[in-house]
Amino acid sequence: MNASPLIALLAALLLSACATSPTGRSQFIAVSDAQMNQLGATSFEQMRQSDKLSRDAGKRATARCVVDALVVALPANAQRTPWEIEVFADENPNAFALPGGKMGVNTGMWKVAKTQDELAAVLAHEVAHVLARHAAERVSQQMAAGVALEAAQAYSGARTSPENTRMLMGALGLGAQLGVMLPFSRLHETEADVLGQRIMAEAGFDPEGAVRLWQAMIAGSASGRTAQVLSTHPDPQNRIAALQARVAELRPVAEQARAAGRRPACRM
C-alpha cells in the first residue's frame, strides 16, 4: 500500500485541527463538538440504563445544587449547555463529566467530600475537562495515532527497518501509547485542576476545598478505600502542593464572587 496518501491525510488533519485550550495550550482536535456531544449523550444514557442510580434524594439535591452554582460562573456559551448530573450507587469515590454537560458522581464521594466546597472541587474539576475539550483531544489523538501507524507500517515495509519505523512514528509525535497518551492524560488532569479550582472560586466556593478533598482521598486510600482516580492522576502529594499554592491567589476571587451574590448553600 502506498504510504503517501496516508501521510498526506495525516498532514491535512494536523493542519485543519489546531485549537487552543482555556489555558492557552495548543491542541489537536479533529472531531466536532456536535460529534462529541452526541457521543456523550449516548454514553450517558447507556450508563443510566446499565448502572445503579442512587435513590438518595438528599445526595441528588446536593449534587444538583453544586452543579447549578458552578454553572453560573462558567463562560456564557458553557452556561447554555444543558448540564445534567446523576448520582450513581457506587462506593468508589469518583465523578465524571462527558461532552455536552452530562455528569455523574458516585455515592462513595460523600465518604471523602464532607463539605460543599470539597464536592464542588471534584465537580468543578470534571466540568473543566469538558470546557477544555479534553475528550475530543483524546479521541483526536487516537484517530491520528491510527493513521500514523498505518503510514509508518506502509513506509517501513517498502523502505526501512522496524527500528526506523519507530523513529518515524516518533518524528510524527505519535510514537507509542506510553509516549503520547499517558503524558497527555496527566497534562489534562493538571490543566483540569487549574481550571476547576478557579471555576469553584468564581462560583463562590472556598478554593481550599480542593486541597482538603485530595487530602481526604489520600487518607481514604491509606485506610483501604483506594480510589481509582489515584492510580491514573498525577502524584497526589505534588497535586496537593500545587492546589495549595493557588489558594492565596484564588481566595480573593471567591470573596469577590460572594460579595457579588454568589453564595452557594448546598446541604451535605
Side-chain angles (χ1 to χ4, degrees):
M1 182 178 183
N2 188 350
S4 297
L6 289 170
I7 295 174
L9 175 58
L10 178 60
L13 280 172
L14 291 171
L15 288 174
S16 65
C18 295
T20 304
S21 80
T23 64
R25 176 177 61 83
S26 295
Q27 295 175 290
F28 168 68
I29 297 180
V31 289
S32 70
D33 288 342
Q35 289 173 307
M36 292 304 301
N37 290 351
Q38 182 58 51
L39 179 61
T42 301
S43 301
F44 194 57
E45 189 56 36
Q46 289 175 346
M47 292 183 69
R48 277 174 160 164
Q49 293 177 10
S50 63
D51 296 351
K52 186 177 179 181
L53 299 177
S54 173
R55 296 184 179 181
D56 188 321
K59 287 182 173 61
R60 293 174 66 88
T62 299
R64 183 72 257 175
C65 176
V66 171
V67 170
D68 287 345
L70 292 172
V71 169
V72 173
L74 301 182
N77 63 324
Q79 290 186 35
R80 292 191 290 271
T81 297
W83 295 92
E84 298 181 60
I85 187 162
E86 287 283 6
V87 179
F88 292 89
D90 186 325
E91 291 306 297
N92 183 58
N94 212 343
F96 67 86
L98 302 173
K102 311 305 181 185
M103 302 183 67
V105 59
N106 292 346
T107 52
M109 187 56 68
W110 272 261
K111 292 183 178 180
V112 291
K114 302 300 184 182
T115 69
Q116 65 168 3
D117 302 301
E118 291 160 24
L119 185 59
V122 69
L123 294 182
H125 173 91
E126 300 305 327
V127 167
H129 278 305
V130 175
L131 294 190
R133 303 169 75 194
H134 287 159
E137 190 175 10
R138 186 163 54 243
V139 168
S140 300
Q141 291 164 2
Q142 292 168 350
M143 289 170 56
V147 173
L149 179 61
E150 279 193 74
Q153 288 175 337
Y155 185 85
S156 65
R159 304 186 185 183
T160 191
S161 65
E163 291 75 17
N164 285 340
T165 296
R166 287 190 289 271
M167 291 178 62
L168 171 64
M169 292 178 68
L172 290 171
L174 297 164
Q177 190 172 25
L178 286 175
V180 178
M181 301 304 178
L182 291 182
F184 268 94
S185 176
R186 288 180 181 270
L187 175 61
H188 288 170
E189 293 302 330
T190 300
E191 192 168 52
D193 274 354
V194 173
L195 294 171
Q197 196 176 19
R198 175 163 287 276
I199 289 169
M200 66 180 294
E202 291 177 347
F205 291 102
D206 180 1
E208 195 162 10
V211 177
R212 295 194 299 269
L213 172 74
W214 279 97
Q215 289 172 334
M217 292 284 272
I218 293 174
S221 178
S223 65
R225 284 199 316 269
T226 302
Q228 292 175 2
V229 292
L230 290 177
S231 65
T232 56
H233 286 209
D235 177 79
Q237 295 295 349
N238 291 343
R239 181 177 218 163
I240 288 172
L243 291 166
Q244 184 67 66
R246 290 190 291 269
V247 169
E249 171 194 347
L250 292 175
R251 185 156 279 152
V253 174
E255 292 171 354
Q256 185 177 5
R258 289 192 284 268
R262 295 178 182 175
R263 296 176 173 272
C266 304
R267 298 179 62 181
M268 294 294 289

